Amino acid sequence: MFRTQNDCTYLMPVHFGGGKFDPGTIVSQRTVALGITYETDGKLLENYIPEGFELLAPEVQVTFNKFTEINWMHGGYYNLINVAAPVRFHGKKDHLDGSYTLVVWENRTAPILGGREQTGIPKIYADIEDLHVLRPHYSTTVSYEGNTFLTMDFEAAGAVTGDDLEGLRSGFASINTIGWRYIPKVGAPGADLSQFVLYPQGMEVETAQVGTGTLKWTELTPVQNPAQYYIINSLAALPMKRITQAALMEGRAILRAMGARVIE
Amino acid sequence: MFRTQNDCTYLMPVHFGGGKFDPGTIVSQRTVALGITYETDGKLLENYIPEGFELLAPEVQVTFNKFTEINWMHGGYYNLINVAAPVRFHGKKDHLDGSYTLVVWENRTAPILGGREQTGIPKIYADIEDLHVLRPHYSTTVSYEGNTFLTMDFEAAGAVTGDDLEGLRSGFASINTIGWRYIPKVGAPGADLSQFVLYPQGMEVETAQVGTGTLKWTELTPVQNPAQYYIINSLAALPMKRITQAALMEGRAILRAMGARVIE
Amino acid sequence: MFRTQNDCTYLMPVHFGGGKFDPGTIVSQRTVALGITYETDGKLLENYIPEGFELLAPEVQVTFNKFTEINWMHGGYYNLINVAAPVRFHGKKDHLDGSYTLVVWENRTAPILGGREQTGIPKIYADIEDLHVLRPHYSTTVSYEGNTFLTMDFEAAGAVTGDDLEGLRSGFASINTIGWRYIPKVGAPGADLSQFVLYPQGMEVETAQVGTGTLKWTELTPVQNPAQYYIINSLAALPMKRITQAALMEGRAILRAMGARVIE
Amino acid sequence: MFRTQNDCTYLMPVHFGGGKFDPGTIVSQRTVALGITYETDGKLLENYIPEGFELLAPEVQVTFNKFTEINWMHGGYYNLINVAAPVRFHGKKDHLDGSYTLVVWENRTAPILGGREQTGIPKIYADIEDLHVLRPHYSTTVSYEGNTFLTMDFEAAGAVTGDDLEGLRSGFASINTIGWRYIPKVGAPGADLSQFVLYPQGMEVETAQVGTGTLKWTELTPVQNPAQYYIINSLAALPMKRITQAALMEGRAILRAMGARVIE
């Protein structure tokens, strides 16, 4: 009969075996990132920030990432859209600034499962086009079962160099990504597990370009996207006052896969 | 700021809101099911059955389902491959027979997330073809990133009628599906949550055909399927002594979405 | 060395062999069809009807079809969106009424190739969802690389029976589908082949429902759909004055695969 | 009513308009190419080489290409698998050496249509994974409806530099790609159009690596791939005597889109 090992970590299904827990496990991957940040209404945005956090700026950060050469996928690849807001966590023990993850869409299920269950990143599925590139123009489309709900466009204006590039590099060297891991009770309301998780992530920026970004949310109906329409429509309803930043970066992401911890 | 409601149930992301917990919530969907069961080596199969369970027969049950007209998806659809074994649970409180879920592949992510987090069904992703039907022949292919790992074929020999159909109907009216819900610790080996969950499921069989079934597992390498190869290869290594049952059924599945409970 | 046989018919690649030409070849498949017809501006619609044809009514006929149990695909399946207008052909030899095919989108490439090269049906690729069905509501979405360009919705109001069903049956028993087969010159403007082809098609209607249909075209940019945007935008620019018909039908399509002929 | 313009070139559907024929039209795209060539039995290979050609070597050339930043797709991308053999054409007018295209699989329909109808390249559809890259290992899988039929693997051994790189560059600067454009008669055996087309193509090689390549064909049944099984099985039946070349290259492809011509 199957029995778990004390020094292993598992994901469902458990009974085919897990992996030896190794705190030094490294995730390594190449990435192209397109980030567009915009100012919104802080009061409205706070509706989606849980108690215990303080919203540091009325800002929505949307980032497209294409990951390739992913070591834990034996060289595989996937795309994601990360939506976050800058926050300060006021816990009993922990006090820190970070990026609170509102939602992440990914076009591959395996990293969705690990991200949710191991680190509380609220990942869900969408179809995400690779960047269409006709220099200096870059664009992508995000959709669910054929229903477009997000488009991102970028016109590069020039490379970032010198001190600006160094600044970008140090800014992206480590980001305090924060997720809310929540596992519901079985057959009852409420949670069996509800924790905030800090998962420091970083990117070694190699090259970067700034430019003009545009971003468009399209509302969907429950028929078009039964499990996500209210998420999309909540984001679409936040006013986009002005784009404050748009940048395209290439580099590597190297992170400690087991480096997350619960914050209190 | 966002705050959870006591009478609601949530899935990540939590902060866009959940649903009022309603124990009477009904999942309704139409289904075509192709089930093929085979005898294997009981000692080998027991390697994948956790302690606390008794294997009732050296039997692997593989079922393809196409679900359509799914109410909670506003009419959407998806396919699954369920792999299970017949077991008896010997708990401190609960004693019952059921179908222990070894693994489920689905071609849609939303039901994978709910199934794992709400009821411990170990669902993972695969591409699953709709049935190719050239009566009396039916077939499907299951693959991951273009790598075939399971094919199922069925030649219908005739409709099930009369008492046989009634027997089938009562047999499928309620099945004790059992999953192992396991959520790992953050940044440490072991589990934050490890429970066996009973989720009674049933199908109202309308029509059924028996026939000849064949089923073929193909081993994959870590490069071909980094997150699942060991699951597939474990199943592929179980000897297929003989096919004991093969049937194609159509009908409806109506189940109590909140009717699962932890068994101890 | 490879040499073609006089009694065979071929598609590229030719040198792996073709099939014996058999005028009696039958294509057989099951189908669910959702047809929505609307009145438009005749003058504008005539811009897309070639000389030699007369537009019989200012009408755009849009039909979704899901085909299954397709004999020439060994039981495979695909979806299509057919867009047509009612015309009269005034040729030197041939005089006939039919349905002029403006464009067909299909979500499988094999029938696109045969349809274009063998019978001049102007088929191109799109992602086409199966019908989402929450009775009495039916809907589908058509998109290209994640960019929605057509949605169809239908609310069934009741079954068609008696004489109405018989009328529908005889109306769909044979339809004069007309395509324009056009193969360009190599390295020069103009055509090496330009012919109108009549391909009689039919459906054995088994059941039918009438109801309320809605249909929405969404314009796309060249970045979103480089090879088709002008087709979609031409159709989207035609005014939708009123929906004149909306019906959902199930049945079989049985047609003579080699029954097409060039009309002059 | 619609009427074609004399100075334009069209693809079906014709009546929404074509493009001004411009002999200087340039196709530009970036590419990563993985080429693996193997020796086979010349007599068997000749079965698939049409009369009028001479097989120059008993050699099958299989090339994976990922194209990105494609100008005519406004920055889109797709993958292909090209299978060819080295030939000499002995025509009435034309005498030239080139690469005879046995078959091309592509994972996007638009270039399949243009390639077939404009230049006679026998393109058909398959799912083709992007390269999975875990340096120095590269691999891809080619499948149809979930049925794997080709895998390619490459272990890079070192960069090509100096004179070797120059040799590679001049070798790839222009390749005489030859296709057989064949359009069948409507309602009769035989062809309305049957021509050999020369389409000079080239690649500006920027970097290259040599290494060890492996390639595996898997036979499929008509149920698994109704329109292509005989093509795949013909190729799979050619003995793979030894791999004679394996290289990975990056660079640009710049070609004259209208530079093809019929050879006689």
Side-chain angles (χ1 to χ4, degrees):
Chain A
M1 310 305 284
F2 177 80
R3 171 184 326 189
T4 57
Q5 306 293 319
N6 286 336
D7 56 350
C8 283
T9 183
Y10 297 86
L11 281 177
M12 294 175 266
V14 171
H15 43 256
F16 290 104
K20 191 86 69 183
F21 180 83
D22 174 1
T25 305
I26 293 294
V27 166
S28 161
Q29 51 203 6
R30 287 206 59 77
T31 181
V32 175
L34 170 58
I36 299 180
T37 298
Y38 57 92
E39 192 188 317
T40 187
D41 181 296
K43 284 287 165 225
L44 290 177
L45 180 53
E46 281 180 345
N47 290 331
Y48 311 118
I49 306 293
E51 286 194 315
F53 289 89
E54 175 192 348
L55 183 64
L56 293 180
E59 207 174 81
V60 180
Q61 306 156 339
V62 182
T63 310
F64 162 92
N65 272 278
K66 178 177 180 67
F67 293 124
T68 54
E69 306 191 22
I70 303 171
N71 64 343
W72 68 271
M73 285 186 167
H74 280 268
Y77 50 87
Y78 68 95
N79 298 343
L80 69 76
I81 297 289
N82 188 81
V83 184
V87 296
R88 176 160 298 161
F89 179 66
H90 298 287
K92 288 174 188 161
K93 292 193 204 160
D94 295 292
H95 299 271
L96 54 93
D97 288 359
S99 185
Y100 183 72
T101 311
L102 293 165
V103 64
V104 175
W105 281 279
E106 300 192 336
N107 67 352
R108 188 87 53 190
T109 305
I112 291 176
L113 304 185
R116 293 173 70 91
E117 297 170 18
Q118 293 171 326
T119 55
I121 306 297
K123 299 178 171 188
I124 54 181
Y125 184 86
D127 291 309
I128 305 170
E129 282 284 299
D130 280 359
L131 286 176
H132 291 229
V133 181
L134 206 56
R135 294 169 195 264
H137 186 78
Y138 300 75
S139 66
T140 188
T141 299
V142 190
S143 63
Y144 190 83
E145 297 178 7
N147 299 292
T148 316
F149 65 85
L150 176 64
T151 55
M152 294 175 74
D153 287 90
F154 178 73
E155 294 284 337
V160 181
T161 56
D163 288 354
D164 290 348
L165 184 58
E166 288 312 312
L168 210 63
R169 275 180 180 150
S170 60
F172 279 89
S174 182
I175 291 167
N176 279 338
T177 300
I178 300 170
W180 182 355
R181 190 165 78 145
Y182 185 103
I183 302 293
K185 282 196 161 63
V186 177
D192 260 358
L193 213 57
S194 176
Q195 309 159 316
F196 295 113
V197 177
L198 171 69
Y199 188 16
Q201 306 198 359
M203 175 178 172
E204 295 177 1
V205 177
E206 295 172 359
T207 62
Q209 297 180 80
V210 286
T212 307
T214 52
L215 184 148
K216 189 186 167 203
W217 294 99
T218 298
E219 296 195 355
L220 295 184
T221 67
V223 171
Q224 291 175 312
N225 191 336
Q228 305 178 358
Y229 72 96
Y230 65 99
I231 299 171
I232 293 163
N233 296 355
S234 295
L235 293 170
L238 292 174
M240 201 179 296
K241 294 186 175 177
R242 65 189 182 92
I243 303 284
T244 54
Q245 210 180 358
L248 183 77
M249 299 180 293
E250 296 199 33
R252 294 187 67 189
I254 297 182
L255 48 152
R256 286 180 48 229
M258 299 299 155
R261 68 178 177 90
V262 174
I263 54 177
E264 299 170 87
Chain B
M1 310 307 283
F2 178 80
R3 173 183 323 190
T4 56
Q5 307 292 321
N6 287 337
D7 55 351
C8 284
T9 183
Y10 298 86
L11 281 178
M12 293 176 268
V14 171
H15 43 258
F16 291 104
K20 190 86 66 182
F21 179 83
D22 174 1
T25 305
I26 292 294
V27 166
S28 161
Q29 51 202 7
R30 288 206 58 78
T31 181
V32 174
L34 171 59
I36 299 180
T37 298
Y38 57 92
E39 191 187 318
T40 187
D41 181 297
K43 284 286 164 227
L44 290 176
L45 180 53
E46 280 180 347
N47 289 332
Y48 311 119
I49 307 291
E51 286 194 313
F53 289 90
E54 175 192 348
L55 182 64
L56 292 181
E59 205 172 84
V60 180
Q61 306 157 338
V62 182
T63 309
F64 162 91
N65 272 278
K66 178 177 180 65
F67 292 124
T68 53
E69 307 191 20
I70 303 172
N71 64 343
W72 69 271
M73 284 186 166
H74 279 269
Y77 50 87
Y78 68 95
N79 298 342
L80 68 75
I81 298 290
N82 188 81
V83 184
V87 296
R88 176 161 298 163
F89 179 66
H90 298 286
K92 289 174 189 161
K93 291 193 204 161
D94 294 292
H95 299 271
L96 53 91
D97 289 359
S99 184
Y100 183 72
T101 312
L102 292 165
V103 64
V104 175
W105 281 280
E106 300 191 337
N107 67 352
R108 188 89 51 191
T109 305
I112 291 176
L113 305 185
R116 294 172 70 92
E117 297 170 17
Q118 293 172 326
T119 55
I121 306 296
K123 299 179 171 189
I124 54 180
Y125 184 86
D127 291 310
I128 305 171
E129 281 285 300
D130 281 357
L131 286 177
H132 291 230
V133 181
L134 205 56
R135 295 169 194 264
H137 185 78
Y138 300 76
S139 67
T140 187
T141 298
V142 189
S143 63
Y144 190 83
E145 297 178 5
N147 299 293
T148 315
F149 65 85
L150 176 64
T151 55
M152 294 174 74
D153 287 90
F154 178 73
E155 294 283 338
V160 181
T161 56
D163 287 353
D164 290 347
L165 185 57
E166 288 312 311
L168 210 62
R169 276 181 181 148
S170 60
F172 279 89
S174 182
I175 291 167
N176 279 338
T177 300
I178 300 170
W180 181 356
R181 190 164 78 146
Y182 185 104
I183 302 293
K185 281 195 161 63
V186 177
D192 261 357
L193 213 57
S194 177
Q195 308 158 316
F196 296 113
V197 177
L198 171 69
Y199 188 16
Q201 305 197 0
M203 177 180 172
E204 296 176 1
V205 177
E206 294 172 359
T207 62
Q209 298 180 79
V210 285
T212 306
T214 53
L215 185 149
K216 188 185 168 204
W217 294 99
T218 298
E219 295 195 357
L220 296 184
T221 67
V223 171
Q224 292 175 311
N225 190 336
Q228 307 177 358
Y229 71 95
Y230 64 99
I231 299 171
I232 293 163
N233 296 354
S234 296
L235 292 170
L238 293 174
M240 200 178 298
K241 294 187 175 175
R242 65 188 181 94
I243 303 283
T244 53
Q245 209 180 359
L248 183 77
M249 298 180 293
E250 295 199 35
R252 295 187 68 192
I254 297 182
L255 49 151
R256 286 181 48 228
M258 298 299 155
R261 66 178 179 91
V262 174
I263 53 176
E264 298 170 88
Chain C
M1 310 306 282
F2 177 80
R3 171 183 326 189
T4 56
Q5 307 293 320
N6 287 336
D7 56 351
C8 284
T9 184
Y10 298 86
L11 281 178
M12 293 176 266
V14 171
H15 42 256
F16 291 104
K20 191 86 68 182
F21 179 84
D22 174 1
T25 305
I26 292 294
V27 166
S28 161
Q29 52 202 5
R30 288 205 59 77
T31 181
V32 174
L34 171 59
I36 299 179
T37 298
Y38 56 93
E39 191 186 318
T40 188
D41 181 298
K43 283 288 164 226
L44 290 177
L45 180 53
E46 279 179 346
N47 289 332
Y48 311 119
I49 307 292
E51 286 194 314
F53 289 90
E54 174 192 348
L55 183 64
L56 292 181
E59 206 174 84
V60 180
Q61 306 157 339
V62 181
T63 309
F64 162 91
N65 272 278
K66 179 176 180 68
F67 293 125
T68 54
E69 306 191 21
I70 303 172
N71 65 343
W72 69 271
M73 284 187 167
H74 279 268
Y77 50 88
Y78 68 95
N79 297 343
L80 69 74
I81 298 290
N82 188 82
V83 184
V87 296
R88 176 160 297 161
F89 180 65
H90 299 286
K92 289 174 188 161
K93 291 194 204 158
D94 294 293
H95 299 271
L96 54 91
D97 288 359
S99 184
Y100 182 72
T101 311
L102 293 165
V103 63
V104 175
W105 282 278
E106 299 191 338
N107 67 351
R108 189 88 52 189
T109 306
I112 291 177
L113 305 185
R116 293 172 68 92
E117 297 171 17
Q118 293 172 327
T119 54
I121 305 297
K123 299 179 172 188
I124 54 181
Y125 184 87
D127 291 310
I128 305 171
E129 281 285 300
D130 282 357
L131 287 177
H132 291 229
V133 181
L134 204 57
R135 294 170 195 263
H137 184 80
Y138 299 75
S139 67
T140 188
T141 298
V142 189
S143 63
Y144 190 83
E145 297 178 6
N147 298 292
T148 316
F149 65 84
L150 175 64
T151 54
M152 294 174 75
D153 287 272
F154 178 74
E155 294 284 338
V160 181
T161 55
D163 287 353
D164 290 347
L165 185 58
E166 287 314 311
L168 209 62
R169 276 180 180 149
S170 61
F172 278 89
S174 182
I175 291 167
N176 279 338
T177 301
I178 300 170
W180 181 356
R181 191 165 77 145
Y182 184 104
I183 302 293
K185 281 194 161 63
V186 177
D192 261 357
L193 212 57
S194 177
Q195 308 159 318
F196 295 114
V197 177
L198 171 68
Y199 188 16
Q201 306 197 1
M203 177 179 170
E204 296 177 359
V205 177
E206 294 172 0
T207 61
Q209 298 180 79
V210 285
T212 307
T214 53
L215 184 149
K216 188 185 168 204
W217 294 99
T218 298
E219 296 194 357
L220 296 184
T221 67
V223 171
Q224 292 175 311
N225 190 337
Q228 307 178 358
Y229 71 95
Y230 64 100
I231 298 171
I232 292 162
N233 296 355
S234 295
L235 292 170
L238 292 174
M240 200 178 298
K241 293 187 175 176
R242 65 187 181 94
I243 303 284
T244 54
Q245 210 180 359
L248 183 76
M249 298 180 294
E250 295 199 35
R252 294 186 68 191
I254 297 182
L255 49 151
R256 286 181 47 228
M258 298 299 155
R261 69 179 177 89
V262 174
I263 53 176
E264 298 170 89
Chain D
M1 310 306 283
F2 178 81
R3 173 184 322 190
T4 57
Q5 306 292 320
N6 286 336
D7 56 351
C8 282
T9 184
Y10 297 86
L11 280 177
M12 294 176 266
V14 171
H15 44 255
F16 291 103
K20 191 85 69 182
F21 179 84
D22 174 1
T25 304
I26 292 295
V27 166
S28 162
Q29 51 203 5
R30 287 206 59 79
T31 181
V32 174
L34 170 58
I36 300 180
T37 298
Y38 56 93
E39 192 187 318
T40 187
D41 181 297
K43 284 287 165 227
L44 289 177
L45 180 54
E46 280 178 346
N47 289 332
Y48 312 118
I49 307 292
E51 287 194 314
F53 290 89
E54 175 192 348
L55 183 64
L56 292 181
E59 206 173 84
V60 179
Q61 306 157 338
V62 182
T63 310
F64 162 92
N65 272 278
K66 179 177 181 66
F67 292 124
T68 53
E69 306 191 21
I70 303 171
N71 64 343
W72 69 271
M73 285 187 166
H74 280 269
Y77 49 87
Y78 68 94
N79 298 342
L80 69 75
I81 297 291
N82 188 82
V83 184
V87 296
R88 177 160 297 161
F89 179 66
H90 298 287
K92 289 173 187 162
K93 292 193 203 160
D94 294 291
H95 299 271
L96 55 92
D97 289 359
S99 185
Y100 183 73
T101 311
L102 292 165
V103 64
V104 176
W105 281 279
E106 300 191 337
N107 67 352
R108 189 87 52 191
T109 305
I112 291 177
L113 304 185
R116 294 173 68 92
E117 297 171 18
Q118 292 172 326
T119 54
I121 305 297
K123 298 178 172 189
I124 54 181
Y125 185 86
D127 291 309
I128 305 170
E129 281 285 299
D130 281 358
L131 287 176
H132 290 228
V133 181
L134 205 57
R135 295 171 195 263
H137 185 79
Y138 300 75
S139 66
T140 188
T141 299
V142 190
S143 63
Y144 190 83
E145 297 178 4
N147 299 292
T148 315
F149 65 84
L150 176 64
T151 55
M152 295 175 73
D153 287 271
F154 178 74
E155 294 283 338
V160 181
T161 55
D163 288 354
D164 290 346
L165 184 57
E166 288 312 312
L168 210 62
R169 276 179 180 150
S170 60
F172 278 89
S174 183
I175 291 166
N176 279 337
T177 301
I178 300 170
W180 182 355
R181 191 166 76 145
Y182 185 103
I183 302 293
K185 280 194 162 62
V186 177
D192 261 357
L193 212 59
S194 176
Q195 308 159 318
F196 295 114
V197 176
L198 171 69
Y199 187 17
Q201 307 198 0
M203 176 178 171
E204 295 177 0
V205 177
E206 295 172 359
T207 63
Q209 297 180 80
V210 286
T212 307
T214 53
L215 184 148
K216 188 187 168 203
W217 294 100
T218 298
E219 296 196 356
L220 296 184
T221 66
V223 171
Q224 291 175 311
N225 190 336
Q228 306 178 359
Y229 72 95
Y230 65 99
I231 298 171
I232 292 162
N233 296 354
S234 295
L235 293 170
L238 292 174
M240 200 178 298
K241 294 187 175 176
R242 65 189 180 93
I243 303 283
T244 54
Q245 209 179 0
L248 182 77
M249 298 180 294
E250 296 197 34
R252 293 187 68 190
I254 298 182
L255 47 152
R256 285 181 48 231
M258 299 299 155
R261 67 178 178 91
V262 175
I263 54 177
E264 298 170 88

